[in-house]
Amino acid sequence: MTIALLCPNGHKLLCPEQQAGKRGKCPHCGAIFRVPDLTASGKIVGNGAPVVTDSPAPSAAPIVVGAAPVPLGPATPKPLAPNVATTEPEPEPESNPIRPLDEAETPGEGEIAFLCPNGHHLCGSSELGGQPGECPECRVKFLVPTEAELVETAEDAGESKPFLFDTGSPENDDDAAKRSSRGDFFERLWEYKARGATIELYLEGGTVLTPDGYAAALSRHNEGVFLVQESDGTYTVAVVAWDAITHMAVRGLDQVPEGVFDIP
């Protein structure tokens, strides 16, 4: 059997019958009391729990009695924490108003066609004329030409020039004496870069250099000074000895020099 009782602070407790008359300790508030002996006192309250009036004895160590079971009601669900974003969403990249243009494609209404500095065919709104732009093919940045500039370029292109392979000597013989013959030959090939061709320099050891720019004023002695644009948009200045070039190649020519090559 068990004894139902109240601690001095009113907490409902249960205690084995064998602990009657011994010291107890409430697990709720820590109050120390003596478990009533029902056979001795026999004082029962209306709810069946004995009235505890004994003061705690200072002798024996207290016995911790168990708390009376409390009926559990329906569980109340805890509100879910709001889903708060810890980081801001990344902004969507801005679309490039300049798009590649197929050579056989015609620009739409209100659009202009032009070339990037590396010769890629591009197209965009005529309102972009004179504003900064970026080539979607090679990521080079430049100023978009205006319609007036495109008209001037078209007029200049109307005067078709024959594709010549100039093998003559430079006008300044003093400069020619200061550098290798490869430097003279490269400058003649470099003219075709502006026509959309790609110049490749094959160096000793197998390295291939594809320059995007050439500093003619700095290349008057035994070295050539070149500019190379990297994939991340930065530039590298390369100084190469002319004698380190084993051979050169010009790619992307739409026609070949007349009377130079024997083509069956």
Side-chain angles (χ1 to χ4, degrees), residues 63-116:
I63 300 171
V64 179
V65 297
V70 179
L72 299 177
T76 303
K78 295 182 179 180
L80 297 177
N83 186 13
V84 180
T86 56
T87 57
E88 296 182 357
E90 296 183 0
E92 297 183 0
E94 298 181 359
S95 58
N96 190 349
I98 300 174
R99 61 181 178 87
L101 180 69
D102 193 346
E103 295 186 21
E105 183 182 355
T106 302
E109 184 177 357
E111 292 185 325
I112 55 175
F114 49 91
L115 298 176
C116 84

Side-chain angles (χ1 to χ4, degrees), residues 126-151:
S126 58
E127 298 178 355
L128 297 175
Q131 299 183 21
E134 179 179 313
C135 176
E137 300 289 344
C138 61
R139 299 301 177 186
V140 66
K141 293 178 173 56
F142 58 94
L143 289 180
V144 179
T146 62
E147 291 185 278
E149 292 172 340
L150 291 174
V151 171

Side-chain angles (χ1 to χ4, degrees), residues 202-240:
Y202 292 79
L203 311 180
E204 295 176 352
T207 302
V208 180
L209 179 67
T210 306
D212 297 295
Y214 170 60
L218 302 178
S219 306
R220 294 301 179 186
H221 298 284
N222 296 325
E223 294 84 15
V225 181
F226 307 96
L227 188 68
V228 179
Q229 185 178 23
E230 306 295 346
S231 57
D232 60 357
T234 61
Y235 291 90
T236 299
V237 176
V239 180
V240 179

